[in-house]
Amino acid sequence: MDPLSQDEIARYQRHILLPEIGGAGQQKLKHSRVLVIGAGGLGSPVLQYLAAAGVGTLGISDDDHVSLSNLQRQVIHDSGTIGEMKTQSAADAIARLNPHVRVVRFEERFSAEMAALHLPRFDLLIDGSDNFDTRYAAADAAEIARLPLVTGAVGRFDGSLTVLKPYETGADGKPLPRYRDLFPAAPPPGLIPSCAEAGIVGALTGVIGTLMAMEAIKLLTGIGEPLVGRLLLYDSLSARFDTVKYKRRATEKTG
């Protein structure tokens, strides 16, 4: 690996002081490539903290433009970027935050076709999307590419996140769970209102997005215990965190 420059050593000093990360862990971050789905409420803090942490390459997949109503929670954008593509606005913000980070922009919605072309170039996928179609597509694509997936969701005052590595086996020798083991099927259309319909407190996306960035840093540096097989739930109104364990569902035998 390329050595850290003097500027990078000074920039990441607080990381390097941590025995769990150190210089070796910081080099791992520098040489990591992470694709983030969405530069919105969850993607904003994910991108900001991973850029600040020194992740070398950040890919951003988003086909939307910045609007005034985004700014209450999508803090990587600002009033001066209204009307811009979110990928461009986010890339400019990242460049101001950390010039050592390379940004790859994909001005398109994440899809199986897009993943097949581009996902093999990355080490980790982070899903900050706001719809179940994309969440299932991300889970399937990450499993096919054998990449870890950090996925989160928010609504009104509640949020959740988990980490998926279904291509690996656990300590018991059994395959680790898939996204469909947690959510077997998407809810019927219209059952769960969107943020535009139900509203959402902006700071909630910061809480969940920052936790997603922390899970990514753990995965990239190989430290700690990622949320594999565990769904972390956050209720902001009661300031309560809960963890729900889940496993790979047994497949039914036929014939």
Side-chain angles (χ1 to χ4, degrees):
M1 290 185 180
D2 296 333
L4 299 172
S5 67
Q6 288 302 310
D7 181 86
E8 288 173 308
I9 291 172
R11 179 181 289 266
Y12 308 126
Q13 183 184 31
R14 300 302 190 276
H15 272 179
I16 295 170
L17 286 171
L18 296 168
E20 294 84 353
I21 296 180
Q26 193 61 50
Q27 283 189 309
K28 289 179 181 178
L29 292 174
K30 178 178 180 177
H31 292 88
S32 294
R33 301 172 60 90
V34 178
L35 177 59
V36 179
I37 303 173
L42 293 174
S44 288
V46 167
L47 290 165
Q48 288 174 312
Y49 273 103
L50 293 187
V55 171
T57 301
L58 289 172
I60 310 172
S61 174
D62 199 312
D63 66 346
D64 199 8
H65 294 77
V66 180
S67 66
L68 182 60
S69 64
N70 296 151
L71 303 185
Q72 165 254 12
R73 64 201 176 282
Q74 301 181 20
V75 294
I76 202 167
H77 313 296
D78 58 55
S79 298
T81 65
I82 292 173
E84 288 186 10
M85 292 293 299
K86 288 184 179 180
T87 53
Q88 183 63 62
S89 172
D92 291 342
I94 290 169
R96 291 190 296 270
L97 176 61
N98 190 347
H100 298 287
V101 177
R102 175 173 175 258
V103 175
V104 182
R105 295 161 49 202
F106 300 100
E107 293 177 346
E108 58 184 298
R109 279 184 173 270
F110 184 88
S111 65
E113 294 75 20
M114 180 265 194
L117 285 173
H118 303 295
L119 199 52
R121 299 161 54 188
F122 292 89
D123 306 309
L124 173 67
L125 180 62
I126 301 181
D127 180 16
S129 64
D130 60 359
N131 64 89
F132 277 97
D133 287 344
T134 302
R135 290 170 190 155
Y136 284 106
D140 292 342
E143 182 174 4
I144 291 170
R146 299 180 67 83
L147 294 183
L149 169 66
V150 180
T151 181
V154 289
R156 285 174 44 83
F157 298 97
D158 305 310
S160 64
L161 69 148
T162 191
V163 173
L164 297 161
K165 301 176 76 174
Y167 50 87
E168 292 185 356
T169 56
D172 58 1
K174 296 180 180 179
L176 294 172
R178 297 186 170 105
Y179 188 74
R180 284 178 174 80
D181 295 314
L182 189 58
F183 301 108
L191 180 64
I192 299 179
S194 67
C195 292
E197 296 168 324
I200 186 168
V201 62
L204 172 66
T205 61
V207 173
I208 301 301
T210 303
L211 288 169
M212 293 169 70
M214 186 66 232
E215 290 301 300
I217 290 170
K218 287 158 58 180
L219 289 162
L220 295 171
T221 58
I223 65 173
E225 184 181 351
L227 283 168
V228 178
R230 295 181 293 150
L231 178 68
L232 182 64
L233 304 170
Y234 174 59
D235 179 348
S236 65
L237 290 181
S238 64
R240 177 174 175 175
F241 284 95
D242 293 293
T243 304
V244 177
K245 293 183 179 180
Y246 63 100
K247 297 181 178 180
R248 178 76 72 100
R249 293 174 183 264
T251 56
E252 294 183 4
K253 296 182 179 180
T254 59

